[in-house]
Amino acid sequence: MMTTQLILFFMAIEDIRTMQVSEVYQIVLLGWVLLSGQGSIVLLLLSALVYGSYLLIRKKFNTKIGGADVKIFCILLLLGFKVVILTAFWASLTGLIYSLVTHNKKIPFVPFIWIGYCLAFI
């Protein structure tokens, strides 16, 4: 858990600075989750299905949500449904509050994913 938080933290810093996240961080996160042995074949297949669906929807409707956000959630799905649901809830709530307070329409979302992931384990 702590290593996942640390990887997400570095991804959040990069997202704040550049509004994008390096593929290297995403591969490191995926590698860590897979090597930690926390996922299952079923979750791996479900994660691949979710990401494939995202790619089709993105191509058809030209969506604006960042690809790294979706990849991170697909990777976190490998840790279990509870983890990804709680992370998504807290990330969305904190991101919404931030957006309403600052009146920003475009925000880096990975910092809120990191916050949500941390809050999911409190």
Side-chain angles (χ1 to χ4, degrees), residues 94-115:
T94 55
L96 176 64
I97 291 169
Y98 174 83
S99 183
L100 290 173
V101 169
T102 63
H103 303 288
N104 288 341
K105 293 185 190 264
K106 185 174 182 183
I107 61 171
F109 195 60
V110 177
F112 300 106
I113 296 173
W114 170 68
I115 291 168

Side-chain angles (χ1 to χ4, degrees), residues 39-115:
S40 69
I41 294 296
V42 172
L43 290 176
L44 183 62
L45 292 173
L46 181 61
S47 180
L49 179 67
V50 169
Y51 188 68
S53 300
Y54 160 73
L55 290 176
L56 291 173
I57 290 169
R58 184 174 180 178
K59 183 173 177 139
K60 181 163 177 73
F61 297 106
N62 195 22
T63 62
K64 299 296 180 194
I65 187 170
D69 304 331
V70 176
K71 287 182 211 171
I72 291 169
F73 278 119
C74 286
I75 293 168
L76 293 179
L77 179 59
L78 297 174
L79 300 174
F81 290 111
K82 184 177 178 184
V83 171
V84 80
I85 295 298
L86 287 172
T87 300
F89 170 77
W90 287 114
S92 298
L93 182 63
T94 55
L96 176 64
I97 291 169
Y98 174 83
S99 183
L100 290 173
V101 169
T102 63
H103 303 288
N104 288 341
K105 293 185 190 264
K106 185 174 182 183
I107 61 171
F109 195 60
V110 177
F112 300 106
I113 296 173
W114 170 68
I115 291 168

Side-chain angles (χ1 to χ4, degrees), residues 1-20:
M1 177 179 84
M2 200 63 157
T3 303
T4 305
Q5 287 177 350
L6 188 60
I7 297 167
L8 285 171
F9 174 76
F10 286 115
M11 294 169 93
I13 296 298
E14 184 174 13
D15 197 26
I16 290 169
R17 289 186 24 228
T18 65
M19 292 293 285
Q20 49 187 317

